[in-house]
Amino acid sequence: MPTVIRNTRLFNRQPDAPTVDITLDDGRIAAITPSTPGTDVTAAEAQGTSGTEATPASGTDVIDAAGYVVMPNLGDVHAHLDSNRLGQTFRPHTAGSSLHSLIMNDRANWRNGERSAYDQAVYAAGLIAASGATRIRTHAQIDSDCRLERFDALMAAKETLAGIVDMEIVAFPQAGLLRDADAPAFIEQGLEAGADLIGGLDPTTYDRDPKTHLDMVFGWAEKYGIGIDIHLHERGTVGVFTLEEIIARTEAAGMQGHVTVSHCFVLGSVDEREQRRLAEMLAANQIAVTTVAPAGTVLPLKLLAEAGVRVGLGEDGQRDYWSPYGDGDVLRRVWQLAFTNGFRADADIEHCFDVASRGGRHILEHVPHAPTGEVTSDAEAGLAVGAPADLLLVKADTVTAAIMDCPDERLVFKSGQLIARNGKLTS
């Protein structure tokens, strides 16, 4: 049935702005009107309310948003749902500092979790969705150790969560394609089984053969008609070389709009002139970039936005065998993105939200148009009549306040249905 959300404040408005009513019907925003007379609330009053449901009238579900700010849903577009330990007993970090040590430590321990890979993936994705992120791109580790076990768990979780989360699964060779010589055969099986994208990992520094590695990745993408999402931790001149190779392959294969470079640390390791040159090359080939807002490697968000590069936000692993950090809350990861960039102005902080919302949507939907950074209209932010009714309402005065406080009081709508309240799925 149709749903009316009363007394909410639109994205990017002042705290004293009048509230509006939003009508949701058939999975989309059907109307946005001034709040019904007599139901408006002040910002102060909103602080004492909790978003309780009103009595339905005339076949319409009515929800009083109590002055909550409304924003488009978020996306976690770089996840590893097959390796997280959210909700499990905390364990000490046991890996060394090198990439190979981290990979092997995960391989040695991932079967010791307290839940199956499937149950853990569903649990973690539920937390992510309840935080306001209903789009997830997750990498599924495939190698000679786990073979398709982790991939199959994520495929099953994707089916279970249909209607709550839009999920893409990347067939990911975490242990390399050449260092783990048996991995390619299992990767091919994952692609045959329906992986949405093919991944890759540091072709030059980890597999030490960028030509063969990229030949395999782009060859599979062409064979199966799927996109690419490749991890690139490489920095400096080596990172520049590998990124230029990825760009050249994208152009030669006509894969503009279907390639993502995850992490892309190289952009944070070169000077501004080189950053701008690489950003222009990425934009010309519609290659997207994702970040998990790590400490110490800051991507030039404003420069990328100016160049027209799509940028999305992810959470990576969560309390896994790689790192003890993470809690599944994507709104808090938006805070981290703003913090690691040293942003203070509202427009810059809202840009970080834009990366996590519109940026993530554009990556998953292969939209070639890049976020502009500073969102200037509700239509741009995905809050307009006719837009999908995928909404996040937060108990806060403004978008910046929502990011700074990250309150638990939230309502999450997916396709017009209320799927989560106050950090918990409704079913």
Side-chain angles (χ1 to χ4, degrees):
M1 64 178 69
T3 298
V4 175
I5 304 172
R6 287 182 177 165
N7 299 325
T8 187
R9 291 186 168 83
L10 286 172
F11 179 97
N12 208 26
R13 291 291 188 266
Q14 297 302 314
D16 58 352
T19 60
V20 298
D21 296 346
I22 302 178
T23 301
L24 314 179
D25 194 12
D26 197 25
R28 295 190 173 271
I29 297 175
I32 301 176
T33 59
S35 290
T36 304
T39 66
D40 200 4
V41 294
T42 66
E45 291 170 337
Q47 296 305 311
T49 58
S50 59
T52 56
E53 293 186 14
T55 303
S58 302
T60 299
D61 212 10
V62 180
I63 296 177
D64 185 355
Y68 283 26
V69 63
V70 60
M71 302 167 281
N73 279 359
L74 301 165
D76 185 342
V77 294
H78 187 94
H80 290 267
L81 295 180
D82 61 344
S83 66
N84 81 89
R85 288 180 52 90
L86 289 171
Q88 297 188 34
T89 303
F90 193 85
R91 68 180 300 279
H93 182 65
T94 54
S97 58
S98 71
L99 177 61
H100 187 67
S101 174
L102 290 162
I103 291 170
M104 291 299 106
N105 184 65
D106 176 271
R107 177 181 282 194
N109 290 290
W110 73 272
R111 289 186 177 87
N112 299 327
E114 295 155 23
R115 297 188 183 97
S116 68
Y118 163 78
D119 287 336
Q120 186 61 35
V122 172
Y123 178 87
L127 286 180
I128 293 168
S131 80
T134 56
R135 300 178 185 88
I136 299 176
R137 176 181 287 180
T138 179
H139 297 261
Q141 182 161 333
I142 299 177
D143 59 25
S144 60
D145 169 63
C146 65
R147 302 189 175 188
L148 294 187
E149 187 175 346
R150 295 164 79 155
F151 173 82
D152 288 342
L154 292 189
M155 290 290 281
K158 177 180 179 179
E159 182 176 352
T160 297
L161 295 163
I164 296 174
V165 173
D166 297 327
M167 187 182 296
E168 288 187 338
I169 297 177
V170 185
F172 178 46
Q174 176 72 85
L177 291 170
L178 303 175
R179 291 182 71 162
D180 187 348
D182 294 329
F186 298 113
I187 290 286
E188 185 106 34
Q189 291 177 25
L191 297 174
E192 292 281 358
D196 299 293
L197 301 100
I198 175 65
L201 173 73
D202 293 347
T204 304
T205 58
Y206 194 75
D207 258 351
R208 303 179 183 180
D209 187 346
K211 181 182 184 304
T212 302
H213 186 108
L214 293 176
D215 279 349
M216 297 172 75
V217 170
F218 277 86
W220 278 323
E222 181 178 7
K223 178 179 179 179
Y224 292 96
I226 57 176
I228 293 170
D229 190 329
I230 185 167
H231 284 57
L232 188 63
H233 306 99
E234 298 168 3
R235 296 172 168 86
T237 56
V238 173
V240 170
F241 165 76
T242 305
L243 185 57
E244 288 178 339
E245 286 296 302
I246 293 170
I247 293 170
R249 298 293 186 108
T250 301
E251 182 176 13
M255 289 194 64
Q256 291 86 348
H258 298 281
V259 176
T260 300
V261 180
S262 289
H263 303 304
C264 207
F265 288 164
V266 59
L267 290 175
S269 68
V270 295
D271 61 32
E272 183 176 345
R273 181 177 179 180
E274 186 71 339
Q275 287 176 342
R276 194 170 300 279
R277 184 183 72 85
L278 293 171
E280 290 172 354
M281 294 172 68
L282 291 169
N285 287 280
Q286 299 173 28
I287 297 173
V289 173
T290 61
T291 181
V292 298
T297 305
V298 178
L299 296 188
L301 294 183
K302 294 182 180 180
L303 185 151
L304 291 169
E306 292 169 3
V309 178
R310 291 170 297 155
V311 181
L313 181 64
E315 295 184 276
D316 218 342
Q318 304 285 304
R319 288 199 175 189
D320 57 10
Y321 302 102
W322 290 64
S323 166
Y325 294 97
D327 61 4
D329 189 337
V330 181
L331 189 62
R332 190 166 286 113
R333 189 56 62 105
V334 175
W335 179 95
Q336 183 173 316
L337 182 62
F339 180 79
T340 54
N341 277 273
F343 290 158
R344 298 187 181 188
D346 285 10
D348 292 337
I349 294 169
E350 288 173 5
H351 181 186
C352 293
F353 186 91
D354 190 47
V355 166
S357 59
R358 200 156 47 103
R361 187 175 82 245
H362 285 181
I363 288 174
L364 264 63
E365 296 177 359
H366 305 286
V367 176
H369 306 295
T372 58
E374 182 176 352
V375 179
T376 56
S377 71
D378 296 322
E380 277 285 286
L383 297 176
V385 173
D390 299 336
L391 306 174
L392 168 62
L393 287 83
V394 179
K395 183 180 179 181
D397 299 327
T398 66
V399 175
T400 298
I403 295 167
M404 292 298 101
D405 296 339
C406 291
D408 291 332
E409 294 88 348
R410 307 178 200 179
L411 303 174
V412 182
F413 290 83
K414 173 63 178 169
S415 300
Q417 302 299 312
L418 179 64
I419 66 162
R421 182 192 295 274
N422 300 336
K424 303 290 184 180
L425 293 179
T426 56
S427 63

